[in-house]
Amino acid sequence: MAASTATAPTDRIDVFWDSGMLNHNSGNGVFDTGMDPGFLDVLEKHPENSDRVKNMVSILKRGPISPYISWLPGRPALLPELLSFHSSEYINELVEADRDGGKMLCAGTFLNPGSWDASLLAAGTTISAMKHVLDGHGKIAYALVRPPGHHAQPTQADGYCFLNNAGLAVQFALNSGCAKVAVIDIDVHYGNGTAEGFYRSDKVLTTSLHMNHGSWGPSHPQNGSVDELGEGEGFGYNLNIPLPNGTGDRGYRHAMTELVVPAIQKFEPEMMVLVIGQDSSAFDPNGRQCLTMEGYQEIGRIVRSLADRHCSGRLLIVQEGGYHVTYSAYCLHATLEGVLNLPTSLLSDPIAYYPEDEALAVEVIKSIKKFQKDNVPFLKGA
């Protein structure tokens, strides 16, 4: 591990966190099913468990990046804030499920005792982080939150998510006077909930780089395909980048430079939101995209440069997935190193080596670029 700088950092990331979010417990079972088949001596924790986030907190508090981190408290969201993105019927369903002692809302998504309070903390903490940036108290804020949120749609839960933390923060920015907000989602799964929430808006550019997994049932009807471009005024402002399995660091860098950067430059947002999930890593149980710390660091650098160029440096980072209890924390550290534009890595990659072949990804990215230029009005001529 390289030594951290001896001089006081001139740049910082303000991390919003509340330990009450650890009280969400999705239980044990076969992977994320909650099922006990009766013939296993050891039932594993649900992938979205508190251990993963405990390591993220500790690596930021005690790791070499700690001099660059400031800590701020979270808070629960208020009902009117929830209704800015979610329907009242859906919120009532969640409240009733909590009152009744819990409920499986969809496959793998368990609202248990303590889950609703944790969800309110995750939503409110993310909104507070956005407000912090908009009010000029800091340029870069990171909402270190769980349960995750980017699959939660206005009217239903999905994929371990109850409330759409990033979507609520984006809506708060719009309500606060931001003319345009850009969302870049690098979680391994399609940020379908956020996309759905702004599918008819030309004020929010939602861009998602994800594994090409398609729909996984009624809770996730969206495919995440390139032709899901938005509707009405929002047509062309939902850009999906479904990438082949094993895309890796070089493939993701190519997607960022060829697809994301030109779109952001044409859109010219006033506020940037980076939605991060370390489940795109080479060792995550939920993904197959083969990113290493180097790839996450490069993504962080690219997004920071876009925020500096278009948003006066204003950037909100929102935590989503990432289920390898150790490597997710390391990849978070690398992402934030990139966001800070540090000249050298502070932390070496303990399991970095993974063979890469980006040839297929490059071809896929080329075809997506052609499709977008042919079909997205604001990108024609980009």
Side-chain angles (χ1 to χ4, degrees), residues 160-234:
Y160 315 163
C161 302
F162 307 104
L163 299 173
N164 196 308
N165 308 314
L168 287 161
V170 169
Q171 189 60 56
F172 179 85
L174 295 175
N175 293 345
S176 299
C178 270
K180 291 193 287 186
V181 181
V183 179
I184 302 171
D185 189 330
I186 63 167
D187 186 279
V188 80
H189 304 109
Y190 176 36
N192 60 310
T194 316
E196 185 70 23
F198 302 106
Y199 209 61
R200 294 156 192 83
S201 174
D202 59 357
K203 296 178 173 60
V204 181
L205 175 66
T206 49
T207 305
S208 178
L209 298 88
H210 49 265
M211 183 170 64
N212 191 10
H213 53 69
S215 169
W216 57 57
S219 72
H220 191 109
Q222 304 86 0
N223 287 308
S225 53
V226 294
D227 58 350
E228 292 178 348
L229 289 168
E231 294 177 352
E233 291 182 352

Side-chain angles (χ1 to χ4, degrees), residues 49-63:
N49 62 72
S50 61
D51 290 347
R52 52 185 283 272
V53 173
K54 288 177 183 176
N55 270 352
M56 293 178 189
V57 172
S58 63
I59 203 170
L60 298 186
K61 286 189 172 182
R62 303 199 304 272

Side-chain angles (χ1 to χ4, degrees), residues 59-264:
I59 203 170
L60 298 186
K61 286 189 172 182
R62 303 199 304 272
I65 203 170
S66 60
Y68 298 87
I69 302 297
S70 298
W71 293 89
L72 293 101
R75 62 154 179 99
L78 304 173
L79 179 61
E81 292 174 325
L82 301 183
L83 296 179
S84 71
F85 186 91
H86 294 288
S87 70
S88 58
E89 293 81 8
Y90 174 55
I91 297 302
N92 288 337
E93 178 189 357
L94 296 176
V95 171
E96 290 173 11
D98 176 59
R99 186 185 303 128
D100 293 342
K103 180 181 180 181
M104 186 179 81
L105 293 165
C106 58
T109 307
F110 302 91
L111 192 141
N112 290 326
S115 300
W116 179 235
D117 288 343
S119 298
L120 291 173
L121 276 172
T125 297
T126 308
I127 294 169
S128 288
M130 175 65 89
K131 185 176 188 302
H132 179 80
V133 174
L134 294 177
D135 288 348
H137 299 307
K139 290 287 189 181
I140 307 169
Y142 168 41
L144 178 45
V145 295
R146 73 178 287 268
H150 72 149
H151 296 312
Q153 294 142 74
T155 61
Q156 64 177 352
D158 178 39
Y160 315 163
C161 302
F162 307 104
L163 299 173
N164 196 308
N165 308 314
L168 287 161
V170 169
Q171 189 60 56
F172 179 85
L174 295 175
N175 293 345
S176 299
C178 270
K180 291 193 287 186
V181 181
V183 179
I184 302 171
D185 189 330
I186 63 167
D187 186 279
V188 80
H189 304 109
Y190 176 36
N192 60 310
T194 316
E196 185 70 23
F198 302 106
Y199 209 61
R200 294 156 192 83
S201 174
D202 59 357
K203 296 178 173 60
V204 181
L205 175 66
T206 49
T207 305
S208 178
L209 298 88
H210 49 265
M211 183 170 64
N212 191 10
H213 53 69
S215 169
W216 57 57
S219 72
H220 191 109
Q222 304 86 0
N223 287 308
S225 53
V226 294
D227 58 350
E228 292 178 348
L229 289 168
E231 294 177 352
E233 291 182 352
F235 181 79
Y237 294 94
N238 186 68
L239 300 180
N240 291 332
I241 305 173
L243 295 169
N245 288 356
T247 290
D249 295 343
R250 293 194 295 267
Y252 265 77
R253 181 172 62 243
H254 192 64
M256 291 293 295
T257 55
E258 289 294 306
L259 299 173
V260 178
V261 170
I264 297 294

Side-chain angles (χ1 to χ4, degrees), residues 329-341:
Y330 275 77
C331 292
L332 167 64
H333 196 286
T335 305
L336 299 188
E337 286 182 31
V339 168
L340 287 165
N341 261 333

